[in-house]
Amino acid sequence: MRRLVMIQFSFWLFLGYEVFGQTTTPAAETPTTQNQLQKANSEVSPKEEPPKPTPPPSWSDGFTAGALVRVRPEMKYNFDSNRNTNDNVDFTGQKIQFWVQKEFTKDVIAKITFQDARLWGAEKGSLTGLSTANDGTRQSTDVREAYIEVKNNLGLPLHIQAGRQILRYGDERLVGSLDWTNVGRSFDGLRIKWEDKYISSHIFVTSVSERHSDIAGNTTSFGVKNQYNTYMDCPYNGTKPCTAKLDAQRQELGDSYFTGFYNTLKPSDYLHIDLYYLGLQKEYLRTNQSLILTTGETGTPESRAGRWDVLHTYGIRLTNKTQTGKKSLQAFDYSFEYAVQTGTTGKSIRPRWDDHKTDVTLFDPLTNTNYNRSIYSEKERYKTYAFGADVGYTVGKMRVGVAYDVGSGDPNRTDGSIASFQNLFHTNHLFYGMADQVSWVNMKSKSVNASYNLGTYGSFRIDYFAIEKHKLQDSWYDIAGVAKSGASTESITNNQYDTSQVLTENGTGNNRPVSMLGKSLFRELDFKYNVPYQNLILECGYSMIYAGDAIQNKVNDRTINSQAYTNQFNKNAQFAYLMVTAQF
C-alpha cells in the first residue's frame, strides 16, 4: 500500500512540474523565422579587408591630343589678264598639325601645336629620289601654338593666356587666323580675358618684330644689319627681266607691337555688339650706311629712320549671328562693321602747299657732298575708313544673302594724308572672292550669294562679286594689302584735270589724267561644294574671273606710241582647287 502511494505521489509530482513548473510557453516557430535564421547563417562573411589606398595621379590625367592633315592642289590661270604672258600657276600645298594639351587642374592648361606646311616637290631630294623629300635647308616645320592659360583668377571669370596663340575676333576682317593658307597666322604675346554671360572683354599685347638678339644663340631677322639681304624684284606682267634689290624695309624695322582692347556686349541671343581698339606700332631704325646715317634722318624729309609708325584702329560691329559657327537663331541674319583709322606714319614730307619746293643746301661731312633739304615739312597721317555689311535670309535648307564692302582709297598719294585703309591681320578669303584677288583696301564690293544644305551630302554655295576701285587714282591692292603697281590704271599725283594723252614709248605710267582711269577691277563667279565622308571633309571650288576696264586700260595702254600698241588683253581668268581634310 505504501509502495502504491509512493508511485502515485511521484506521478502527480511529475505532472505538476510539467503543467505548472514552466512559467512561459515557447512560441511556435514560423516559416519566416526559420528563413531569417537560414539567411543569417548563409550571410556569415569572412573578415572585411581594409580599403585600398588611392593611387597617385598619372601623368596622362587631363592629357589630350589631336591631329590634322590637309592636302590642297590649286590652279590659277591668266591672273594678269595678258594673253602674251604665261603666268599660269599650279601647285599642291600640304598642312600637317599635331597638338597636345595638358590640363593640370580645371583652371590651368597648356597647349602646343606643331605644324608642317610645305609644297609638294619644293624640297631638295624630290628630283633624284635618292633622299627624303625634306632633305633641304629650308624647313617648313614650326610651332603654331605654345601657350599656358590660367582661368578664373581671384575667383572671377578672369583668364590669363601667355605664349604663342591664335587670335580671332569678329568676322576676322581685321584680326584672324588665316587658316585658309598653308601656314596660317599666330601671335607671340599676353592676353587677359574677362568672360561672363553678358560681356567678353579681351586685352592683348603681342610682339610683331624684335630688334635685339639674345646672348645665347637666338637671333632676330630685324634690326640694323651690316648688309642688306637681297631679293629678286620681278615686274608684275612679266615683260621685263627680274632685278636684284635690297630688302631695305625689313632690315630697317625694329621693335613692333600689335595691341588691342576687344569687347563683345551680349544683351541677348539676338544681338551682340563689338567695340574695339587695335593698335599697331612699328619702329623704323637708322641704317648703317654713312650717307643715310647723316641724311637719312635729317636730310631727307621722307625718311622715318629713328621714328615710329603708329596706327590706331577704332571699330564697331553689330550682329545677330551669336551661335556656334556664327549662326543666327532667326531666319534673318546680319552683320555690320565699321572702322576708322588715325595715327602717323613716322614720315615728314614736303607740304602740299609748297609748290615752289623751297629747299636749303646742306653739307654731309662723312661723304664730303652737298644735299638738299626741304625747309618746310609736315607729318604724314593716317585718315582712313572701312565698312562691311552682310545680310541673309534662310528658308528651310537654303540661305540667300547680299553683301556690300568698302575700303577707302587715296586720291593723292603725294600729300600728307594716307587715305588707303590698312587691312591689318585679316582673313579675307570669305568676303571678297574665293580667288583672293583683293583686300579691304581701295575697293568697293557688291555681291549676292546662295547656299544650300544637303545634310549628309554636304553643302553647296554660289557667289557673284562686282569689285571696283573706291578711288580711281589709287592702286589695286592684293590679298596681302600690297599695292600691285603696274597692274591697273592709277595716278599717284592726282592728275585731276589733265585730259591730254601723252603718247610716248612707255606711256604715262602711273600718272594718267583721271579722265583716263578705269573703275572696274573685275567680276567674279564662285562655286563651292563640300561634303563629309567618314572621317574626311572633301571640298572643291571653281572661280571664273572677268577683268574690268581698270585692268584693260593698263594692259592695252593707249598712251603708248601707236607703233608699239598691241591688243594683249584677255579678260578671262580662272581659279580652282580640290581640298581633302582629315581631323582627329
Side-chain angles (χ1 to χ4, degrees), residues 138 379 552:
R138 290 188 307 123
K379 290 184 177 180
Q552 179 180 8

Side-chain angles (χ1 to χ4, degrees), residues 31-43:
T32 302
T33 304
Q34 293 177 354
N35 291 340
Q36 289 176 348
L37 292 175
Q38 292 176 358
K39 184 177 180 181
N41 293 333
S42 64
E43 290 181 351

Side-chain angles (χ1 to χ4, degrees), residues 410-579:
D410 197 336
N412 186 353
R413 286 169 283 166
T414 62
D415 62 8
S417 175
I418 299 294
S420 301
F421 189 73
Q422 308 298 300
N423 207 182
L424 296 179
F425 305 101
H426 59 79
T427 303
N428 279 339
H429 181 71
L430 300 175
F431 302 110
Y432 320 125
M434 194 166 57
D436 292 331
Q437 286 292 285
V438 69
S439 59
W440 211 14
V441 185
N442 189 37
M443 57 85 78
K444 289 192 294 184
S445 172
K446 306 169 187 176
S447 66
V448 295
N449 59 79
S451 58
Y452 191 81
N453 188 350
L454 300 171
T456 58
Y457 295 98
S459 62
F460 177 81
R461 176 169 175 141
I462 181 172
D463 292 80
Y464 176 77
F465 295 88
I467 297 182
E468 304 171 343
K469 284 189 174 185
H470 178 246
K471 297 297 182 182
L472 308 186
Q473 302 93 321
D474 204 351
S475 186
W476 170 18
Y477 293 83
D478 64 13
I479 188 64
V482 178
K484 299 173 67 170
S485 299
S488 66
T489 57
E490 54 188 279
S491 175
I492 196 169
T493 59
N494 191 20
N495 195 355
Q496 183 73 41
Y497 303 108
D498 189 358
T499 59
S500 63
Q501 295 188 22
V502 182
L503 298 179
T504 67
E505 182 180 356
N506 297 322
T508 57
N510 61 356
N511 195 28
R512 285 176 168 78
V514 174
S515 60
M516 296 177 58
L517 300 178
K519 180 179 181 181
S520 172
L521 283 173
F522 56 87
R523 305 291 188 266
E524 182 173 327
L525 184 62
D526 294 340
F527 302 91
K528 184 173 72 171
Y529 174 68
N530 67 71
V531 58
Y533 177 72
Q534 296 183 357
N535 294 329
L536 305 177
I537 298 178
L538 309 178
E539 180 175 312
C540 60
Y542 176 70
S543 301
M544 295 185 292
I545 306 161
Y546 307 96
D549 60 345
I551 300 174
Q552 179 180 8
N553 293 347
K554 180 60 181 178
V555 176
N556 290 343
D557 194 342
R558 300 185 183 278
T559 66
I560 296 178
N561 190 290
S562 58
Q563 285 80 3
Y565 172 76
T566 58
N567 182 18
Q568 306 176 81
F569 179 67
N570 180 6
K571 68 177 182 179
N572 297 318
Q574 300 176 66
F575 169 71
Y577 72 92
L578 174 64
M579 185 164 65

